[in-house]
Amino acid sequence: MPDLIAALHERFGLNALVQGEHEKALRWFRRMEAREPDSIRVLRNIGVCLLAAGDASGARGYLLREEALYGPSFLRHSALADLAYALGEREEAAARYRSALADPEAAPGGRYHESRPLLEARARICADPAAFGSSRAAAGRFDAGQEAAKAGRQAEALALFEEAAELDPTHWPALNNAGGIALNALGDPERALAFFERALSLAHSPQAAHNADLARKALAARLAAAKPGKRAKAVR
């Protein structure tokens, strides 16, 4: 019988993850872990959550444990490739990207064929030491942008995220974060939407898709409010 409580925890955790609330998501997934510590959904969700939160070594432990228990797969290869890429392990990342691309699920018509362009782009970066060096510089800019954003220096953070995306054209989280600043701090939904759509063109991220939807709604509301003769109603 399905564990309905664990399923509820997973739903709450995934909702938090989509909204970029990594710590909140991790708390829900930890509750799941107490009930089913070796399930795929626990190991993968915690691994992905830790990686998104910047704990690459912690994420590796969960993802390798999942692979040891359930065997190699496209999702495991691609997740471990991204992890090695984030840690600056060029040869390991290259090998994992090759394995992910060779998986039948990544073949044209396969379940994850839409992921091929990003994986192929990163495989090319890994094959070029100079390009990989630029990706490491991009990671540094991204981390600096995160710190600037936390400190309230939003304009500086936005510039750093844009630099990261220029140095590493596959760095979709930098574009997603730049969009978040444009939308929430600068109140510029049009610019934000451009960032989110660039992120989505690289990775089919539920978080970027959610953010793009928010930007479209904010932009539509702005355009509606700007129509001639339209007056805002006073709040009573």
Side-chain angles (χ1 to χ4, degrees), residues 34-228:
R35 303 179 70 87
E36 45 182 66
D38 291 330
S39 72
I40 290 178
R41 61 183 182 174
V42 163
L43 298 173
R44 181 171 302 158
N45 284 331
I46 291 181
V48 169
C49 200
L50 289 173
L51 183 58
D55 184 0
S57 60
R60 170 172 278 168
Y62 278 90
L63 295 173
L64 287 175
R65 185 169 153 203
E66 180 190 344
E67 186 176 56
L69 288 171
Y70 300 102
S73 71
F74 169 81
L75 288 177
R76 289 165 204 137
H77 283 311
S78 61
L80 286 162
D82 287 342
L83 190 149
Y85 190 87
L87 288 173
E89 299 172 355
R90 184 170 71 89
E91 293 183 0
E92 173 65 15
R96 286 288 185 175
Y97 283 128
R98 286 195 298 269
S99 295
L101 287 164
D103 191 282
E105 290 193 305
R111 184 178 180 185
Y112 299 111
H113 73 277
E114 291 182 345
S115 299
R116 287 194 70 89
L118 176 61
L119 300 184
E120 289 171 343
R122 287 201 163 177
R124 288 193 295 272
I125 290 172
C126 291
D128 181 345
F132 194 76
S134 291
S135 79
R136 299 310 302 148
R141 299 290 198 288
F142 181 78
D143 290 343
Q146 296 273 63
E147 292 302 316
K150 288 178 183 178
R153 303 191 306 273
Q154 304 299 338
E156 178 186 344
L158 178 58
L160 287 164
F161 291 140
E162 288 189 283
E163 285 181 32
E166 289 174 6
L167 287 164
D168 181 353
T170 71
H171 206 314
W172 67 267
L175 294 167
N176 185 64
N177 284 13
I181 290 175
L183 182 62
N184 300 321
L186 304 183
D188 189 343
E190 186 173 7
R191 188 179 183 189
L193 182 59
F195 282 125
F196 294 139
E197 288 182 337
R198 284 175 63 192
L200 278 170
S201 73
L202 293 169
H204 299 278
S205 159
Q207 184 179 346
H210 172 75
N211 289 339
D213 187 52
L214 291 178
R216 289 189 192 98
K217 290 177 179 177
L219 183 58
R222 171 174 290 184
L223 293 173
K227 286 182 179 179

